[in-house]
Amino acid sequence: QVQLVESGGGSVQAGGSLRLSCVVYGYTYWPNYMGWFRQVPGKEREGVAAIYTGGDGRTYYADSLEGRFTIAQDNAKSTLYLQMNSLKPEDTAMYYCAATYRADVRWYLVGDFGYWGQGTQVTVSS
């Protein structure tokens, strides 16, 4: 049973940085795709970034991030990261780690990911 456990959230002022971590437990094979999503109350969960874990390690980002976030994996540590720089108040949300073994994935779709963490809160003050 694959389990994802996020950490690294917190409160930061605008312009600051945070690094989220997601440790993967219970896997036999490393997931094909892993991603980060975020959600604010009253809104749908949205894709932030994703990585194809095999081959070329291709990464995907939401256009709205303007290059401020970086997704990375460390297989030796069974961990996925999200480095978040130049944070803005609009980045405030619950951030979720997600994983899938599917080969055909639309990285921004919640429904294409079958495994989810419990979330870690990020709050950015102005």
Side-chain angles (χ1 to χ4, degrees):
Q1 179 81 6
V2 173
Q3 292 185 325
L4 309 177
V5 179
E6 303 102 331
S7 63
S11 297
V12 64
Q13 289 191 329
S17 298
L18 285 174
R19 187 178 77 160
L20 306 183
S21 299
C22 171
V23 180
V24 185
Y25 297 96
Y27 66 94
T28 300
Y29 301 100
W30 192 246
N32 282 343
Y33 287 85
M34 295 198 69
W36 289 97
F37 290 74
R38 65 187 181 186
Q39 188 172 22
V40 297
K43 293 190 176 181
E44 293 187 351
R45 194 169 296 186
E46 64 175 4
V48 174
I51 184 168
Y52 171 57
T53 67
D56 60 5
R58 187 173 303 177
T59 56
Y60 307 86
Y61 296 94
D63 292 340
S64 60
L65 297 181
E66 301 174 328
R68 298 180 293 117
F69 292 8
T70 303
I71 189 171
Q73 62 175 343
D74 185 337
N75 289 9
K77 296 182 178 180
S78 301
T79 302
L80 178 75
Y81 300 100
L82 184 68
Q83 178 67 42
M84 305 186 296
N85 299 327
S86 302
L87 282 161
K88 303 177 180 181
E90 51 263 44
D91 295 317
T92 295
M94 184 72 79
Y95 283 72
Y96 296 90
C97 174
T100 182
Y101 289 93
R102 292 180 55 171
D104 56 336
V105 172
R106 292 156 293 182
W107 72 268
Y108 49 88
L109 285 186
V110 170
D112 280 4
F113 288 80
Y115 299 94
W116 293 86
Q118 81 288 350
T120 185
Q121 177 69 37
V122 172
T123 302
V124 184
S125 58
S126 58

